[in-house]
Amino acid sequence: MKLKNTLGLAIGSLIAATSFGALAQGQGAVEGEAFWGKTWNHSVDSYQNGRTPGVSIGYFLTDDVSVNLTYRKDEYTRSDADTGNQRIRGDHFGLKSQYHFGQVGDMFRPYVEGGVSHGSMSNVVADGHTGRDGSTYLTTGAGVKMYITDNLYARAGGEADYKLDNGRWDYQALIGLGVNFGGSGGKVAPAPAPAPEPAPAPVAESAPAPEVVKVQLDVKFDFNKAVVKPNSYGDVKSLADFMKQYPKTTTQVSGHTDNVGPDAYNQKLSQKRADAVKQVLVKDGVRADRITSVGYGKTRPVADNATEAGRAMNRRVEASVEAQAQ
């Protein structure tokens, strides 16, 4: 089977694998990737620049550090025209370690890498050689992974290979598509359900029912932001004034997001939004121990996330306070 067909099957398998619930990022995850690269050959004078498809598999020792085995096929390199324009084939096997910046669940995770590889390339017959030439390389590189979902990612990066035999460099620009399996760091436990409010004390039939007053808060946020906008300060202050008028009241501030981005990222963003509203309430004079802030991520939409208007309604923080009228 030709390598391009093998890569096509691999990419199809990567996309199909994202339907399994066992997939996750973080410590213990296994990442599989198919990639394609453009190579600039400088370690051998008579080689033209080539293209190198390949695959890799990695294991996350921690949430940030992975160890990766790689294989790439030097399939399309040629010798220079004055040596007969001979087609050159080769293989590269590598062992690398990647350090990822940011946190598990972030949509973008830049990385740096380093390692060692062994490559073999067919010799240029016109130069008077036959067979293959084997070489050892030191490898370094950097790039960024974009997690399209919690489990499917795309990668773009660059690598430089230092050939120990002659002290010269080869360079590659790479793009890839991959999935990860079995980690636990990317999954955030769902926020606990709010405790049920205690049942009101029984009231004697002869006594009139107390009047209940209530204030509700609904603060909207810009996309991917957790900053309370100035036009919402007045609503937050109204809730704070109500709580100061009824000093025995407490409230839960609930943060929510739309459905754009990974689950873990939205969970963190919703918590930041809830905390931001709590900070404004405290600044307006409400004690912090009277306010609980909880993020629910994208699990509780109030509108259709298929439209921009619906997503805007879902980017919100809610709160309500009830008290018996004085």
Side-chain angles (χ1 to χ4, degrees), residues 192-213:
E197 296 183 1
V203 179
E205 291 184 1
S206 58
E211 181 183 357
V212 176
V213 290

Side-chain angles (χ1 to χ4, degrees), residues 41 44 46-48 50-52 73-80 83-91 120-127 131-133:
N41 295 107
V44 180
S46 58
Y47 284 2
Q48 294 179 0
R51 291 172 284 176
T52 55
K73 184 75 172 177
D74 295 293
E75 181 73 15
Y76 304 106
T77 302
R78 290 186 179 274
S79 62
D80 290 334
T83 59
N85 201 23
Q86 174 190 345
R87 186 173 181 178
I88 306 297
R89 290 183 173 89
D91 301 277
S120 65
M121 298 284 285
S122 56
N123 287 314
V124 180
V125 176
D127 285 345
R132 284 196 166 207
D133 174 39

Side-chain angles (χ1 to χ4, degrees), residues 107 223 257-262 265-266 269 298 305 311 315:
M107 183 176 294
F223 175 72
T257 69
D258 58 29
N259 69 342
V260 178
Y265 179 80
N266 279 309
L269 179 60
K298 58 185 180 184
N305 275 308
R311 292 191 293 272
R315 299 191 294 264

Side-chain angles (χ1 to χ4, degrees), residues 179-198:
V179 294
N180 51 74
F181 303 78
S184 59
K187 295 299 181 183
V188 178
E197 296 183 1

Side-chain angles (χ1 to χ4, degrees), residues 231-314:
N231 61 6
S232 296
Y233 288 162
D235 294 337
V236 179
K237 187 176 186 304
S238 295
L239 180 64
D241 292 341
F242 184 86
M243 294 184 70
K244 287 187 288 185
Q245 182 181 356
Y246 297 94
K248 294 184 179 181
T249 57
T250 60
T251 189
Q252 175 177 288
V253 179
S254 304
H256 306 273
T257 69
D258 58 29
N259 69 342
V260 178
D263 293 347
Y265 179 80
N266 279 309
Q267 173 65 36
K268 296 174 184 177
L269 179 60
S270 66
Q271 185 64 53
K272 290 179 180 179
R273 288 174 174 171
D275 292 340
V277 172
K278 177 178 177 178
Q279 291 174 6
V280 178
L281 285 169
V282 171
K283 184 178 179 181
D284 286 339
V286 181
R287 293 198 323 271
D289 60 2
R290 297 173 60 193
I291 309 166
T292 301
S293 58
V294 179
Y296 289 97
K298 58 185 180 184
T299 62
R300 298 187 177 185
V302 294
D304 188 355
N305 275 308
T307 67
E308 175 55 36
R311 292 191 293 272
M313 293 182 65
N314 290 329

Side-chain angles (χ1 to χ4, degrees), residues 29-280:
V30 176
E31 282 195 343
E33 179 184 311
F35 62 84
W36 185 92
K38 171 66 175 178
T39 300
W40 289 267
N41 295 107
H42 294 294
S43 59
V44 180
D45 289 330
S46 58
Y47 284 2
Q48 294 179 0
N49 301 332
R51 291 172 284 176
T52 55
V55 293
S56 70
I57 185 167
Y59 178 78
F60 275 79
L61 302 176
T62 70
D63 284 350
D64 303 320
V65 178
S66 67
V67 177
N68 307 276
L69 294 172
T70 64
Y71 168 75
R72 79 171 193 255
K73 184 75 172 177
D74 295 293
E75 181 73 15
Y76 304 106
T77 302
R78 290 186 179 274
S79 62
D80 290 334
D82 58 1
T83 59
N85 201 23
Q86 174 190 345
R87 186 173 181 178
I88 306 297
R89 290 183 173 89
D91 301 277
H92 263 76
F93 297 89
L95 176 63
K96 305 172 185 177
S97 180
Q98 291 181 338
Y99 179 83
H100 300 76
F101 298 93
Q103 297 180 347
V104 173
D106 289 350
M107 183 176 294
F108 293 95
R109 295 205 74 185
Y111 68 88
V112 293
E113 66 179 12
V116 62
S117 66
H118 181 79
S120 65
M121 298 284 285
S122 56
N123 287 314
V124 180
V125 176
D127 285 345
H129 303 283
T130 59
R132 284 196 166 207
D133 174 39
S135 302
T136 300
Y137 298 81
L138 297 181
T139 300
T140 185
V144 62
K145 294 178 180 178
M146 180 184 76
Y147 285 87
I148 303 166
T149 70
D150 285 340
N151 318 116
L152 176 66
Y153 70 89
R155 176 173 73 100
E159 294 181 359
D161 296 331
Y162 177 75
K163 191 175 183 180
L164 296 179
D165 296 355
N166 59 14
R168 301 180 71 177
W169 293 84
D170 291 341
Y171 304 93
Q172 293 86 39
L174 302 169
I175 56 173
L177 182 68
V179 294
N180 51 74
F181 303 78
S184 59
K187 295 299 181 183
V188 178
E197 296 183 1
V203 179
E205 291 184 1
S206 58
E211 181 183 357
V212 176
V213 290
K214 182 177 182 179
V215 172
Q216 293 182 306
L217 179 66
D218 187 355
V219 177
K220 296 296 190 294
F221 286 81
D222 290 335
F223 175 72
N224 201 32
K225 301 294 184 182
V227 178
V228 180
K229 294 186 286 188
N231 61 6
S232 296
Y233 288 162
D235 294 337
V236 179
K237 187 176 186 304
S238 295
L239 180 64
D241 292 341
F242 184 86
M243 294 184 70
K244 287 187 288 185
Q245 182 181 356
Y246 297 94
K248 294 184 179 181
T249 57
T250 60
T251 189
Q252 175 177 288
V253 179
S254 304
H256 306 273
T257 69
D258 58 29
N259 69 342
V260 178
D263 293 347
Y265 179 80
N266 279 309
Q267 173 65 36
K268 296 174 184 177
L269 179 60
S270 66
Q271 185 64 53
K272 290 179 180 179
R273 288 174 174 171
D275 292 340
V277 172
K278 177 178 177 178
Q279 291 174 6
V280 178

